[in-house]
PDB file of all heavy atoms in Angstrom:
ATOM      1  N   ASP A   1      -6.282  75.192 -45.294  1.00  0.00           N
ATOM      2  CA  ASP A   1      -6.306  73.811 -44.870  1.00  0.00           C
ATOM      3  C   ASP A   1      -7.643  73.106 -45.294  1.00  0.00           C
ATOM      4  O   ASP A   1      -8.667  73.770 -45.444  1.00  0.00           O
ATOM      5  CB  ASP A   1      -6.191  73.741 -43.392  1.00  0.00           C
ATOM      6  CG  ASP A   1      -4.798  74.236 -42.854  1.00  0.00           C
ATOM      7  OD1 ASP A   1      -3.932  74.440 -43.709  1.00  0.00           O
ATOM      8  OD2 ASP A   1      -4.663  74.339 -41.639  1.00  0.00           O
ATOM      9  N   VAL A   2      -7.568  71.821 -45.492  1.00  0.00           N
ATOM     10  CA  VAL A   2      -8.728  71.068 -45.976  1.00  0.00           C
ATOM     11  C   VAL A   2      -9.033  69.952 -44.956  1.00  0.00           C
ATOM     12  O   VAL A   2      -8.101  69.197 -44.560  1.00  0.00           O
ATOM     13  CB  VAL A   2      -8.435  70.443 -47.340  1.00  0.00           C
ATOM     14  CG1 VAL A   2      -9.651  69.543 -47.799  1.00  0.00           C
ATOM     15  CG2 VAL A   2      -8.136  71.526 -48.378  1.00  0.00           C
ATOM     16  N   ILE A   3     -10.230  69.822 -44.521  1.00  0.00           N
ATOM     17  CA  ILE A   3     -10.746  68.760 -43.689  1.00  0.00           C
ATOM     18  C   ILE A   3     -12.083  68.312 -44.261  1.00  0.00           C
ATOM     19  O   ILE A   3     -13.089  69.017 -44.303  1.00  0.00           O
ATOM     20  CB  ILE A   3     -10.915  69.119 -42.226  1.00  0.00           C
ATOM     21  CG1 ILE A   3      -9.604  69.615 -41.646  1.00  0.00           C
ATOM     22  CG2 ILE A   3     -11.433  67.926 -41.439  1.00  0.00           C
ATOM     23  CD1 ILE A   3      -9.717  70.062 -40.196  1.00  0.00           C
ATOM     24  N   GLU A   4     -12.101  67.067 -44.766  1.00  0.00           N
ATOM     25  CA  GLU A   4     -13.299  66.479 -45.415  1.00  0.00           C
ATOM     26  C   GLU A   4     -13.534  65.103 -44.843  1.00  0.00           C
ATOM     27  O   GLU A   4     -12.601  64.333 -44.681  1.00  0.00           O
ATOM     28  CB  GLU A   4     -13.231  66.482 -46.930  1.00  0.00           C
ATOM     29  CG  GLU A   4     -13.139  67.825 -47.555  1.00  0.00           C
ATOM     30  CD  GLU A   4     -13.017  67.784 -49.079  1.00  0.00           C
ATOM     31  OE1 GLU A   4     -12.966  66.618 -49.593  1.00  0.00           O
ATOM     32  OE2 GLU A   4     -12.907  68.822 -49.736  1.00  0.00           O
ATOM     33  N   ASN A   5     -14.809  64.729 -44.610  1.00  0.00           N
ATOM     34  CA  ASN A   5     -15.097  63.442 -44.037  1.00  0.00           C
ATOM     35  C   ASN A   5     -16.375  62.958 -44.608  1.00  0.00           C
ATOM     36  O   ASN A   5     -17.419  63.524 -44.471  1.00  0.00           O
ATOM     37  CB  ASN A   5     -15.216  63.533 -42.478  1.00  0.00           C
ATOM     38  CG  ASN A   5     -15.154  62.201 -41.813  1.00  0.00           C
ATOM     39  OD1 ASN A   5     -15.494  61.123 -42.429  1.00  0.00           O
ATOM     40  ND2 ASN A   5     -14.854  62.163 -40.565  1.00  0.00           N
ATOM     41  N   THR A   6     -16.309  61.812 -45.407  1.00  0.00           N
ATOM     42  CA  THR A   6     -17.491  61.192 -45.958  1.00  0.00           C
ATOM     43  C   THR A   6     -17.430  59.742 -45.599  1.00  0.00           C
ATOM     44  O   THR A   6     -16.342  59.228 -45.166  1.00  0.00           O
ATOM     45  CB  THR A   6     -17.486  61.350 -47.510  1.00  0.00           C
ATOM     46  OG1 THR A   6     -16.414  60.538 -48.082  1.00  0.00           O
ATOM     47  CG2 THR A   6     -17.282  62.812 -47.904  1.00  0.00           C
ATOM     48  N   PRO A   7     -18.478  58.959 -45.856  1.00  0.00           N
ATOM     49  CA  PRO A   7     -18.495  57.538 -45.563  1.00  0.00           C
ATOM     50  C   PRO A   7     -17.391  56.767 -46.357  1.00  0.00           C
ATOM     51  O   PRO A   7     -16.952  55.690 -45.933  1.00  0.00           O
ATOM     52  CB  PRO A   7     -19.913  57.085 -45.945  1.00  0.00           C
ATOM     53  CG  PRO A   7     -20.733  58.341 -45.849  1.00  0.00           C
ATOM     54  CD  PRO A   7     -19.865  59.422 -46.247  1.00  0.00           C
ATOM     55  N   GLN A   8     -17.003  57.384 -47.515  1.00  0.00           N
ATOM     56  CA  GLN A   8     -16.038  56.661 -48.376  1.00  0.00           C
ATOM     57  C   GLN A   8     -14.600  57.115 -48.127  1.00  0.00           C
ATOM     58  O   GLN A   8     -13.675  56.335 -48.360  1.00  0.00           O
ATOM     59  CB  GLN A   8     -16.423  56.780 -49.805  1.00  0.00           C
ATOM     60  CG  GLN A   8     -17.718  55.992 -50.230  1.00  0.00           C
ATOM     61  CD  GLN A   8     -18.011  56.186 -51.671  1.00  0.00           C
ATOM     62  OE1 GLN A   8     -17.979  57.238 -52.219  1.00  0.00           O
ATOM     63  NE2 GLN A   8     -18.289  55.026 -52.318  1.00  0.00           N
ATOM     64  N   ALA A   9     -14.412  58.362 -47.799  1.00  0.00           N
ATOM     65  CA  ALA A   9     -13.013  58.887 -47.758  1.00  0.00           C
ATOM     66  C   ALA A   9     -12.922  60.004 -46.689  1.00  0.00           C
ATOM     67  O   ALA A   9     -13.839  60.751 -46.409  1.00  0.00           O
ATOM     68  CB  ALA A   9     -12.588  59.407 -49.082  1.00  0.00           C
ATOM     69  N   VAL A  10     -11.672  60.123 -46.206  1.00  0.00           N
ATOM     70  CA  VAL A  10     -11.345  61.210 -45.271  1.00  0.00           C
ATOM     71  C   VAL A  10     -10.110  61.912 -45.870  1.00  0.00           C
ATOM     72  O   VAL A  10      -9.146  61.228 -46.368  1.00  0.00           O
ATOM     73  CB  VAL A  10     -10.945  60.609 -43.893  1.00  0.00           C
ATOM     74  CG1 VAL A  10     -10.454  61.757 -42.985  1.00  0.00           C
ATOM     75  CG2 VAL A  10     -12.112  59.883 -43.270  1.00  0.00           C
ATOM     76  N   VAL A  11     -10.181  63.280 -45.883  1.00  0.00           N
ATOM     77  CA  VAL A  11      -9.111  64.092 -46.525  1.00  0.00           C
ATOM     78  C   VAL A  11      -8.695  65.105 -45.461  1.00  0.00           C
ATOM     79  O   VAL A  11      -9.493  65.856 -44.883  1.00  0.00           O
ATOM     80  CB  VAL A  11      -9.569  64.756 -47.780  1.00  0.00           C
ATOM     81  CG1 VAL A  11      -8.461  65.656 -48.355  1.00  0.00           C
ATOM     82  CG2 VAL A  11      -9.932  63.730 -48.825  1.00  0.00           C
ATOM     83  N   GLY A  12      -7.399  65.190 -45.229  1.00  0.00           N
ATOM     84  CA  GLY A  12      -6.861  66.211 -44.377  1.00  0.00           C
ATOM     85  C   GLY A  12      -5.556  66.788 -44.997  1.00  0.00           C
ATOM     86  O   GLY A  12      -4.578  66.008 -45.206  1.00  0.00           O
ATOM     87  N   ILE A  13      -5.535  68.085 -45.228  1.00  0.00           N
ATOM     88  CA  ILE A  13      -4.380  68.752 -45.815  1.00  0.00           C
ATOM     89  C   ILE A  13      -4.141  70.031 -45.055  1.00  0.00           C
ATOM     90  O   ILE A  13      -5.003  70.824 -44.813  1.00  0.00           O
ATOM     91  CB  ILE A  13      -4.604  69.093 -47.327  1.00  0.00           C
ATOM     92  CG1 ILE A  13      -4.950  67.827 -48.135  1.00  0.00           C
ATOM     93  CG2 ILE A  13      -3.380  69.738 -47.931  1.00  0.00           C
ATOM     94  CD1 ILE A  13      -5.372  68.078 -49.544  1.00  0.00           C
ATOM     95  N   SER A  14      -2.892  70.252 -44.671  1.00  0.00           N
ATOM     96  CA  SER A  14      -2.532  71.432 -43.937  1.00  0.00           C
ATOM     97  C   SER A  14      -1.325  72.101 -44.581  1.00  0.00           C
ATOM     98  O   SER A  14      -0.415  71.459 -45.116  1.00  0.00           O
ATOM     99  CB  SER A  14      -2.190  71.142 -42.465  1.00  0.00           C
ATOM    100  OG  SER A  14      -1.047  70.258 -42.385  1.00  0.00           O
ATOM    101  N   TYR A  15      -1.318  73.438 -44.551  1.00  0.00           N
ATOM    102  CA  TYR A  15      -0.287  74.303 -45.170  1.00  0.00           C
ATOM    103  C   TYR A  15       0.351  75.236 -44.095  1.00  0.00           C
ATOM    104  O   TYR A  15      -0.359  75.633 -43.130  1.00  0.00           O
ATOM    105  CB  TYR A  15      -0.926  75.143 -46.272  1.00  0.00           C
ATOM    106  CG  TYR A  15      -1.566  74.404 -47.428  1.00  0.00           C
ATOM    107  CD1 TYR A  15      -2.908  74.209 -47.497  1.00  0.00           C
ATOM    108  CD2 TYR A  15      -0.734  73.890 -48.456  1.00  0.00           C
ATOM    109  CE1 TYR A  15      -3.536  73.485 -48.570  1.00  0.00           C
ATOM    110  CE2 TYR A  15      -1.310  73.224 -49.530  1.00  0.00           C
ATOM    111  CZ  TYR A  15      -2.704  72.995 -49.570  1.00  0.00           C
ATOM    112  OH  TYR A  15      -3.262  72.307 -50.582  1.00  0.00           O
ATOM    113  N   PRO A  16       1.577  75.674 -44.379  1.00  0.00           N
ATOM    114  CA  PRO A  16       2.130  76.717 -43.491  1.00  0.00           C
ATOM    115  C   PRO A  16       1.302  78.001 -43.636  1.00  0.00           C
ATOM    116  O   PRO A  16       0.790  78.312 -44.761  1.00  0.00           O
ATOM    117  CB  PRO A  16       3.523  76.929 -44.069  1.00  0.00           C
ATOM    118  CG  PRO A  16       3.801  75.672 -44.869  1.00  0.00           C
ATOM    119  CD  PRO A  16       2.535  75.214 -45.360  1.00  0.00           C
ATOM    120  N   GLN A  17       1.127  78.740 -42.542  1.00  0.00           N
ATOM    121  CA  GLN A  17       0.179  79.866 -42.583  1.00  0.00           C
ATOM    122  C   GLN A  17       0.683  80.951 -43.538  1.00  0.00           C
ATOM    123  O   GLN A  17      -0.190  81.650 -44.155  1.00  0.00           O
ATOM    124  CB  GLN A  17       0.065  80.407 -41.161  1.00  0.00           C
ATOM    125  CG  GLN A  17      -0.711  79.514 -40.193  1.00  0.00           C
ATOM    126  CD  GLN A  17      -0.917  80.166 -38.841  1.00  0.00           C
ATOM    127  OE1 GLN A  17      -0.336  81.189 -38.546  1.00  0.00           O
ATOM    128  NE2 GLN A  17      -1.728  79.551 -37.986  1.00  0.00           N
ATOM    129  N   ASP A  18       1.932  81.193 -43.679  1.00  0.00           N
ATOM    130  CA  ASP A  18       2.377  82.339 -44.458  1.00  0.00           C
ATOM    131  C   ASP A  18       2.952  81.949 -45.768  1.00  0.00           C
ATOM    132  O   ASP A  18       3.615  82.801 -46.421  1.00  0.00           O
ATOM    133  CB  ASP A  18       3.459  83.091 -43.646  1.00  0.00           C
ATOM    134  CG  ASP A  18       4.646  82.230 -43.316  1.00  0.00           C
ATOM    135  OD1 ASP A  18       4.626  81.026 -43.522  1.00  0.00           O
ATOM    136  OD2 ASP A  18       5.665  82.790 -42.820  1.00  0.00           O
ATOM    137  N   VAL A  19       2.693  80.750 -46.295  1.00  0.00           N
ATOM    138  CA  VAL A  19       3.261  80.394 -47.564  1.00  0.00           C
ATOM    139  C   VAL A  19       2.676  81.183 -48.751  1.00  0.00           C
ATOM    140  O   VAL A  19       3.298  81.323 -49.768  1.00  0.00           O
ATOM    141  CB  VAL A  19       3.026  78.891 -47.819  1.00  0.00           C
ATOM    142  CG1 VAL A  19       1.545  78.581 -48.135  1.00  0.00           C
ATOM    143  CG2 VAL A  19       3.969  78.342 -48.951  1.00  0.00           C
ATOM    144  N   ASN A  20       1.521  81.803 -48.559  1.00  0.00           N
ATOM    145  CA  ASN A  20       0.897  82.617 -49.631  1.00  0.00           C
ATOM    146  C   ASN A  20       1.736  83.839 -49.951  1.00  0.00           C
ATOM    147  O   ASN A  20       1.440  84.486 -51.010  1.00  0.00           O
ATOM    148  CB  ASN A  20      -0.520  83.040 -49.191  1.00  0.00           C
ATOM    149  CG  ASN A  20      -1.424  81.807 -49.004  1.00  0.00           C
ATOM    150  OD1 ASN A  20      -1.579  80.991 -49.843  1.00  0.00           O
ATOM    151  ND2 ASN A  20      -2.079  81.789 -47.869  1.00  0.00           N
ATOM    152  N   ARG A  21       2.727  84.131 -49.115  1.00  0.00           N
ATOM    153  CA  ARG A  21       3.635  85.292 -49.451  1.00  0.00           C
ATOM    154  C   ARG A  21       4.449  84.984 -50.645  1.00  0.00           C
ATOM    155  O   ARG A  21       5.083  85.869 -51.296  1.00  0.00           O
ATOM    156  CB  ARG A  21       4.542  85.565 -48.293  1.00  0.00           C
ATOM    157  CG  ARG A  21       3.825  86.132 -47.069  1.00  0.00           C
ATOM    158  CD  ARG A  21       4.834  86.583 -46.017  1.00  0.00           C
ATOM    159  NE  ARG A  21       5.671  85.483 -45.471  1.00  0.00           N
ATOM    160  CZ  ARG A  21       6.978  85.388 -45.530  1.00  0.00           C
ATOM    161  NH1 ARG A  21       7.684  86.286 -46.230  1.00  0.00           N
ATOM    162  NH2 ARG A  21       7.575  84.391 -45.030  1.00  0.00           N
ATOM    163  N   PHE A  22       4.554  83.680 -51.066  1.00  0.00           N
ATOM    164  CA  PHE A  22       5.326  83.279 -52.261  1.00  0.00           C
ATOM    165  C   PHE A  22       4.403  82.565 -53.207  1.00  0.00           C
ATOM    166  O   PHE A  22       4.198  81.318 -53.199  1.00  0.00           O
ATOM    167  CB  PHE A  22       6.422  82.329 -51.757  1.00  0.00           C
ATOM    168  CG  PHE A  22       7.278  82.792 -50.610  1.00  0.00           C
ATOM    169  CD1 PHE A  22       7.015  82.362 -49.310  1.00  0.00           C
ATOM    170  CD2 PHE A  22       8.274  83.755 -50.825  1.00  0.00           C
ATOM    171  CE1 PHE A  22       7.777  82.813 -48.253  1.00  0.00           C
ATOM    172  CE2 PHE A  22       8.994  84.222 -49.776  1.00  0.00           C
ATOM    173  CZ  PHE A  22       8.760  83.763 -48.475  1.00  0.00           C
ATOM    174  N   PRO A  23       3.780  83.355 -54.128  1.00  0.00           N
ATOM    175  CA  PRO A  23       2.767  82.798 -54.966  1.00  0.00           C
ATOM    176  C   PRO A  23       3.190  81.586 -55.806  1.00  0.00           C
ATOM    177  O   PRO A  23       2.422  80.643 -55.989  1.00  0.00           O
ATOM    178  CB  PRO A  23       2.363  84.016 -55.887  1.00  0.00           C
ATOM    179  CG  PRO A  23       2.698  85.192 -55.078  1.00  0.00           C
ATOM    180  CD  PRO A  23       3.906  84.787 -54.267  1.00  0.00           C
ATOM    181  N   GLY A  24       4.389  81.648 -56.396  1.00  0.00           N
ATOM    182  CA  GLY A  24       4.860  80.571 -57.207  1.00  0.00           C
ATOM    183  C   GLY A  24       5.022  79.279 -56.405  1.00  0.00           C
ATOM    184  O   GLY A  24       4.712  78.165 -56.864  1.00  0.00           O
ATOM    185  N   LEU A  25       5.528  79.426 -55.187  1.00  0.00           N
ATOM    186  CA  LEU A  25       5.685  78.254 -54.288  1.00  0.00           C
ATOM    187  C   LEU A  25       4.308  77.733 -53.849  1.00  0.00           C
ATOM    188  O   LEU A  25       4.110  76.510 -53.854  1.00  0.00           O
ATOM    189  CB  LEU A  25       6.497  78.674 -53.068  1.00  0.00           C
ATOM    190  CG  LEU A  25       6.649  77.633 -51.946  1.00  0.00           C
ATOM    191  CD1 LEU A  25       7.248  76.371 -52.419  1.00  0.00           C
ATOM    192  CD2 LEU A  25       7.453  78.236 -50.749  1.00  0.00           C
ATOM    193  N   ALA A  26       3.421  78.631 -53.500  1.00  0.00           N
ATOM    194  CA  ALA A  26       2.077  78.232 -53.159  1.00  0.00           C
ATOM    195  C   ALA A  26       1.413  77.458 -54.262  1.00  0.00           C
ATOM    196  O   ALA A  26       0.701  76.392 -53.999  1.00  0.00           O
ATOM    197  CB  ALA A  26       1.236  79.441 -52.777  1.00  0.00           C
ATOM    198  N   LYS A  27       1.629  77.820 -55.476  1.00  0.00           N
ATOM    199  CA  LYS A  27       1.009  77.134 -56.604  1.00  0.00           C
ATOM    200  C   LYS A  27       1.573  75.701 -56.736  1.00  0.00           C
ATOM    201  O   LYS A  27       0.839  74.784 -57.044  1.00  0.00           O
ATOM    202  CB  LYS A  27       1.231  77.852 -57.907  1.00  0.00           C
ATOM    203  CG  LYS A  27       0.575  77.242 -59.161  1.00  0.00           C
ATOM    204  CD  LYS A  27       0.750  78.057 -60.396  1.00  0.00           C
ATOM    205  CE  LYS A  27      -0.060  77.417 -61.558  1.00  0.00           C
ATOM    206  NZ  LYS A  27       0.213  75.971 -61.777  1.00  0.00           N
ATOM    207  N   ALA A  28       2.925  75.599 -56.532  1.00  0.00           N
ATOM    208  CA  ALA A  28       3.471  74.283 -56.590  1.00  0.00           C
ATOM    209  C   ALA A  28       2.979  73.326 -55.524  1.00  0.00           C
ATOM    210  O   ALA A  28       2.716  72.128 -55.774  1.00  0.00           O
ATOM    211  CB  ALA A  28       5.049  74.400 -56.447  1.00  0.00           C
ATOM    212  N   LEU A  29       2.702  73.864 -54.317  1.00  0.00           N
ATOM    213  CA  LEU A  29       2.129  73.066 -53.266  1.00  0.00           C
ATOM    214  C   LEU A  29       0.710  72.682 -53.611  1.00  0.00           C
ATOM    215  O   LEU A  29       0.284  71.500 -53.415  1.00  0.00           O
ATOM    216  CB  LEU A  29       2.166  73.807 -51.912  1.00  0.00           C
ATOM    217  CG  LEU A  29       3.514  74.312 -51.420  1.00  0.00           C
ATOM    218  CD1 LEU A  29       3.351  74.847 -49.983  1.00  0.00           C
ATOM    219  CD2 LEU A  29       4.583  73.249 -51.512  1.00  0.00           C
TER     220      LEU A  29
END
């Protein structure tokens, strides 16, 4: 997961916890 906060931009990205079990799918995400 990604959480970033700067004066210019805020970024929040969340992933399913177990998606890494499928490397090809994880790469597409």
